[in-house]
Amino acid sequence: MSSDKNFNTRNSLPSPTKLSFDNFAQLLDKGQRKKLNKISHNPDRDLRKTVYLSSGGRFYKYINFMREFAYSLNYVPIHPIGTLDYYLSSVSHKNKKEEVVKDCFSLLEGCDELWVFGEERPLFDGKETSAHISNFPEGVLAEIYFWLAHKPDQPLRFVTWGDIGIPKYVDESNWHIFNSIGEKAELQSGKKLNYPVILGIIDLGSSTVKLYVCKVNKDGSAETVHKKSVYTNLVENFFEKKVLGELPRKRTLQAVEELLEEADSRGAVDVKLVGTGALRMAKNAEEFMSTIKQKTGLELEVLTGEDEARLVFEAVHESFAGVERPLAVLNVGGSTTRLVTSDPDGEIIKNVSFPLSVTDLNEKYYAEDIISATDYKKLVGEIEEVLDQKGIGKLEGDLLFIYTGGELDYMLITGFPLENSDYSRQHPKELSISALEKHAEKMRQMPKDELRSYMPSNPKWIDGAVVSNALGETIAKRVGAKTIIPSNKNVNDGIILTMFEE
């Protein structure tokens, strides 16, 4: 059976059940029937009203604020991004916006009220106002039009960001000391920040731009309260000339601007922007950094490879506190691969960079829909040759091999047969080398479309799966690891530790 048939079978819809209410009730015991009848079959049940939350695309970062506002007023919120995921809906309809809007109409049809969110509230007293209705984005206008045409007797409300308390729109907010482009505003003389303090980090990598928002308490304890990642592929067509292309730069700049606004909206009082990977090699890096400074007000700090690896290692090591075993921490990125090893006390022994990148290896060996056995053999051969050149061999001691950079989420999503691990609360799973080999081989036989179906909201991110698996498997075997511990730790986690220390 072909992969297409497998895909279609997996997405086929089962026939409707013939189960009736009476038959279903008979399958329950007396206690279950009594409880379920009380909460769901009572004609006087007091159900909450549902409300559709409408806003322009640039404000989707406020989705949780909007939903919390609705819940506080005893409504059940329906937001198209929370239900459909705009990217998934667009891809499913081959980017036909009319079809995506129809999905929104399907959600609207079942709601009791429509709330439209914006920076100003249009008032209708027979005269135009400064917040003219036509200034709303076309998707919002379509939702208002549908509502007034089909549900004219149901409430339509206009809500501002100030109404729901988003920090950047509230005067004298204790959270907000940045303006909309992230530049520091002057604090009043003698004014002290209220705890908890919110910090933000934006990591501009070769493939993705990541945001971490963290809360630091007065006692020095800290927690990450929000994460977001945007795939931009800054290194598209980069490696031959080492020049960042115009479109990748535009995509990346847009992601930085959006994530900066998101950090600002969540109350960040300091945002640090760091760059890794390709920015160390790019001939036009300074030009790009200048553009970012001009557009966002942020200074981009490009980390050295050694510093990047050290920060990742420190974040991993901190999460294994009390485990006195040597560590090998592998970090595979879009443009570089690094391995850091330590003794049982956490002292770094080696911090090694390899000229191996997922993007470059993909372009060399994985241009077709499925990687051939010949190309896979060449891929592994190149990895082993580089390891030989760097003098990487079997490491001594009872080694813990940690594979970082979002690998825990990746392995969970793609179905690796992970087992429970007790070494670290932040690293709850591990995988034997033999299990890694078998599942990686299975993934090599999948067409790219089938691989991408694992992550429909960001399918391009998973294009590096086969190469990433090969790097992890080959390097783990070389150093003598018996198991792999997948980790979501990345450079941002290490920077957070540094910021806390400061």
Side-chain angles (χ1 to χ4, degrees), residues 47-216:
L47 297 182
R48 298 176 182 86
K49 289 184 177 181
T50 57
V51 56
Y52 186 96
L53 311 177
S54 175
S55 65
R58 62 188 286 250
F59 296 117
Y60 285 155
K61 56 184 174 290
Y62 297 146
I63 179 173
N64 288 331
F65 288 96
M66 288 184 266
R67 292 194 288 199
E68 184 178 5
F69 178 69
Y71 273 123
S72 72
L73 296 173
N74 207 33
Y75 286 80
V76 176
I78 304 296
H79 193 290
I81 291 299
T83 305
L84 302 173
D85 187 309
Y86 185 84
Y87 188 85
L88 174 58
S89 181
S90 298
V91 169
S92 299
H93 296 306
K94 302 187 187 305
N95 297 312
K96 294 180 180 178
K97 191 161 187 176
E98 295 84 355
E99 296 301 315
V100 177
V101 171
K102 282 170 63 177
D103 287 350
C104 296
F105 290 167
S106 295
L107 296 176
L108 267 170
E109 184 67 42
C111 290
D112 298 300
E113 297 194 12
L114 169 62
W115 297 356
V116 178
F117 292 79
E119 296 185 84
E120 296 181 89
R121 181 185 297 108
L123 301 175
F124 303 99
D125 57 359
K127 300 178 181 179
E128 287 189 356
T129 67
S130 59
H132 194 276
I133 195 73
S134 64
N135 291 334
F136 281 107
E138 60 180 16
V140 174
L141 293 176
E143 290 165 344
I144 296 172
Y145 192 101
F146 178 91
W147 188 264
L148 294 176
H150 298 282
K151 309 190 80 169
D153 298 326
Q154 299 292 91
L156 165 63
R157 308 179 197 270
F158 291 91
V159 186
T160 72
W161 305 120
D163 292 334
I164 68 177
I166 289 179
K168 68 178 287 186
Y169 290 92
V170 179
D171 292 338
E172 300 300 327
S173 169
N174 287 330
W175 286 26
H176 180 59
I177 62 170
F178 280 65
N179 66 18
S180 61
I181 64 169
E183 296 174 334
K184 290 184 177 179
E186 293 183 2
L187 294 174
Q188 295 177 359
S189 177
K191 182 178 179 180
K192 295 182 180 179
L193 292 177
N194 290 340
Y195 282 94
V197 175
I198 310 296
L199 305 175
I201 302 163
I202 299 175
D203 172 16
L204 200 167
S206 300
S207 301
T208 57
V209 182
K210 302 182 184 72
L211 168 68
Y212 272 39
V213 179
C214 316
K215 179 172 72 174
V216 182

Side-chain angles (χ1 to χ4, degrees), residues 376 436-437 440 444 468-477 484:
Y376 183 73
L436 171 66
E437 287 182 287
R444 289 199 300 274
S468 181
N469 291 344
L471 283 163
E473 178 184 332
T474 306
I475 296 173
K477 286 179 179 178
I484 285 182

Side-chain angles (χ1 to χ4, degrees), residues 250-430:
K250 285 183 177 179
R251 291 195 300 263
T252 302
L253 175 60
Q254 181 180 359
V256 172
E257 290 176 318
E258 291 175 356
L259 294 178
L260 177 57
E261 283 198 14
E262 185 158 346
D264 186 29
S265 73
R266 291 176 179 273
V269 300
D270 191 12
V271 178
K272 181 174 288 190
L273 176 64
V274 298
T276 58
L279 288 166
R280 292 192 288 266
M281 300 180 279
K283 296 176 182 177
N284 57 340
E286 289 190 6
E287 175 190 344
F288 186 41
M289 293 164 65
S290 176
T291 301
I292 291 174
K293 170 69 174 176
Q294 179 185 357
K295 295 291 186 180
T296 69
L298 291 181
E299 295 279 358
L300 173 59
E301 178 185 353
V302 179
L303 300 175
T304 67
E306 291 77 11
D307 284 343
E308 180 184 354
R310 177 182 53 78
L311 287 166
V312 174
F313 173 82
E314 287 178 357
V316 170
H317 180 257
E318 188 268 342
S319 67
F320 281 88
V323 180
E324 296 181 356
R325 289 176 61 177
L327 301 181
V329 179
L330 176 66
N331 184 246
V332 173
S335 61
T336 56
T337 295
R338 296 196 74 95
L339 178 69
V340 180
T341 63
S342 74
D343 64 19
D345 295 324
E347 294 296 323
I348 293 178
I349 299 172
K350 287 186 177 182
N351 185 341
V352 186
S353 174
F354 307 110
L356 297 167
S357 77
V358 171
T359 306
D360 191 26
L361 293 174
N362 257 349
E363 291 175 0
K364 283 185 181 179
Y365 302 112
Y366 195 21
E368 302 300 325
D369 194 39
I370 296 178
I371 189 168
S372 68
T374 300
D375 283 339
Y376 183 73
K377 186 176 180 179
K378 290 178 180 178
L379 166 63
V380 173
E382 179 170 342
I383 297 171
E384 290 180 333
E385 182 179 347
V386 171
L387 294 178
D388 289 339
Q389 293 170 356
K390 293 290 184 177
I392 301 299
K394 185 175 181 180
L395 301 178
E396 299 297 327
D398 191 10
L399 182 71
L400 286 181
F401 187 90
I402 296 93
Y403 191 12
T404 67
E407 301 308 319
L408 176 58
D409 284 346
Y410 159 70
M411 287 189 175
L412 287 169
I413 289 169
T414 51
F416 279 83
L418 300 172
E419 298 179 354
N420 292 332
S421 176
D422 298 324
Y423 295 115
S424 163
R425 291 180 63 185
Q426 297 176 51
H427 298 85
K429 299 292 183 179
E430 62 182 33

